[in-house]
Amino acid sequence: MPAHDPTDVWRRPERSAVGPKPEHSRNGIATAALRIADQEGLAAVSIRRVAATVGAGAASLYRYVKSHDELVELMMDAVAGEYQFEVVGEHPRGRLLNLAQQGRSIMHRHPWLAPLLLTRPSMGPNSLRFLDSALAALAPVDLPGPAKLQIVAMMSAITSAFVQNELSSLPPAGPDEGSPARPGQHLVEALQAGEYPHLAAAMAGHSAAGNVDEQFTSAITNYLAGAGIPA
């Protein structure tokens, strides 16, 4: 039997044409799940936990989502609704950079999102609106459709990987346990030992490469330039 497709949630009407009005909505369920995930991480999100948060029984919540994967699908599409799709600038590279910068901000607001986007796409209306907006930015570029889709996918992957690296570099949350090693301290000590001269030279330039916002802008623009997207 094939695995359940979480995007099936979008193929079902949210409200039946007959019967009483539903007590809950997909948006309300997603909002409750997001609150849990943002505060405690994605692992804390379950059908039972979300049901308790919205004041429903776990069994009744299955009338709205058929599985945990469908619940995550609603969450991913809800955060995609935070994009602003108005046209910013006239040139494809600038418009795509704006979407990437928005994506980075969204992933920082929802730290569980970045690794998820690298492993599973969302097919909800907000997610498809993002994809359509990115392709609209690429409309003037003389490339076939599959190549444009690949460019958008790579830009999103770079953004997700960049944010994951940012978040992993932050000090761990929680009670202070003495003076833990700084993130990256092992790398610093290894470079100081002199065994990796080429890496040390590259990292020396990295320290002067500007702040993290500039580094992100550089990463995206360099990729888009290499892909032939005009500024």
Side-chain angles (χ1 to χ4, degrees), residues 42-214:
L42 188 61
V45 177
S46 67
I47 296 288
R48 185 177 299 276
R49 178 78 182 276
V50 174
T53 302
V54 300
S60 67
L61 208 67
Y62 280 103
R63 295 202 297 265
Y64 303 89
V65 289
K66 302 299 184 185
S67 66
H68 180 270
D69 282 344
E70 284 196 0
L71 177 59
V72 173
E73 173 72 13
L74 292 184
M75 295 167 63
M76 294 178 71
D77 193 65
V79 297
E82 297 178 19
Y83 280 98
Q84 300 295 318
F85 294 121
E86 68 270 12
V87 175
V88 179
E90 300 179 359
H91 303 293
R93 197 186 304 174
R95 291 176 63 180
L96 289 175
L97 174 61
N98 176 265
L99 288 175
Q101 289 169 331
Q102 288 191 61
R104 177 175 169 237
S105 296
I106 290 170
M107 292 178 211
H108 273 279
R109 290 195 293 271
H110 309 285
W112 51 271
L113 180 62
L116 205 58
L117 287 173
L118 287 170
T119 58
R120 55 174 289 177
S122 171
M123 294 297 168
N126 290 320
S127 302
L128 294 179
R129 197 168 294 120
F130 163 80
L131 181 57
D132 194 69
S133 180
L135 292 172
L138 288 170
V141 181
D142 186 19
L143 287 172
K148 293 180 179 181
L149 287 169
Q150 186 178 52
I151 287 169
V152 177
M154 282 298 300
M155 183 186 76
S156 297
I158 292 169
T159 303
S160 298
F162 191 96
V163 172
Q164 276 195 275
N165 186 62
E166 284 186 279
L167 296 177
S168 68
S169 299
L170 296 175
D176 185 11
E177 298 180 0
S179 299
R182 298 187 308 275
Q185 187 170 344
H186 166 69
L187 176 60
V188 172
E189 294 171 353
L191 296 180
Q192 289 174 343
E195 297 183 22
Y196 312 100
H198 299 290
L199 179 57
M203 293 299 293
H206 178 76
S207 63
N211 63 35
V212 69
D213 294 334
E214 293 169 344

